[in-house]
Amino acid sequence: MAETPIQNQTENSMAWDDLRTSPAFPAIVGGLAGAIGGIALMFLFSRLTKAKKNSPAAYDADGNPMNIVYLPPPEQFRVLGFTVGDLMTFGGLGIGLYRQYRKLRRANALELEASELESQTDRLLAPPSDLSHGAR
């Protein structure tokens, strides 16, 4: 025996078409997307803010946790709070910026020189103006 469907397929497709073409459809889809995005963000943030378990950093040969002693970093020479490595990094950045500045100035000077040569060439190749007509 065949069971009769509870809902008519034609009515379902017509209802879907009515919903899809209605002016409220973008708002409905946006609301659903926002709700799904909000739930996903809530899940992610709850996982990130969950209390962390402190697992031991090392185990012995039998698998028992061991205490690790962390030594403080060695004392380094500092100038105004910056280490030698920091100062070398700043120096390298400064040299790189200075080289870029010099290249930019040189490129601008070459462009200016090229435009001057072009204007001189245009003046030399231009037809001479006839001054005899103006002298009559």
Side-chain angles (χ1 to χ4, degrees), residues 126-136:
S129 59
D130 199 42
L131 296 176
S132 60
H133 291 287
R136 285 192 211 184

Side-chain angles (χ1 to χ4, degrees), residues 13-27:
S13 67
M14 286 175 45
W16 169 247
D17 286 342
D18 288 343
L19 176 65
R20 192 173 43 86
T21 57
S22 78
F25 186 70

Side-chain angles (χ1 to χ4, degrees), residues 46-65:
S46 71
R47 300 288 290 172
L48 290 175
T49 58
K50 188 184 282 189
K52 306 264 190 226
K53 290 183 182 177
N54 288 338
S55 54
Y59 297 92
D60 63 7
D62 298 329
N64 300 321

Side-chain angles (χ1 to χ4, degrees), residues 29-47:
V29 171
L32 287 174
I36 291 170
I39 291 170
L41 284 174
M42 284 174 35
F43 175 75
L44 287 175
F45 284 125
S46 71
R47 300 288 290 172

Side-chain angles (χ1 to χ4, degrees), residues 34-134:
I36 291 170
I39 291 170
L41 284 174
M42 284 174 35
F43 175 75
L44 287 175
F45 284 125
S46 71
R47 300 288 290 172
L48 290 175
T49 58
K50 188 184 282 189
K52 306 264 190 226
K53 290 183 182 177
N54 288 338
S55 54
Y59 297 92
D60 63 7
D62 298 329
N64 300 321
M66 292 176 46
N67 290 332
I68 302 288
V69 177
Y70 293 102
L71 299 175
E75 283 295 319
Q76 294 183 1
F77 177 73
R78 293 183 180 268
V79 176
L80 298 175
F82 297 107
T83 63
V84 175
D86 295 338
L87 295 174
M88 289 174 57
T89 303
F90 292 148
L93 289 172
I95 290 171
L97 288 173
Y98 177 69
R99 286 181 181 168
Q100 285 183 351
Y101 174 73
R102 274 192 13 209
K103 285 181 182 179
L104 180 65
R105 294 234 3 221
R106 187 168 185 207
N108 287 341
L110 289 175
E111 281 182 18
L112 182 61
E113 186 179 327
S115 65
E116 287 177 7
L117 287 175
E118 186 176 324
S119 65
Q120 286 178 1
T121 305
D122 289 344
R123 276 188 263 134
L124 289 174
L125 295 177
S129 59
D130 199 42
L131 296 176
S132 60
H133 291 287

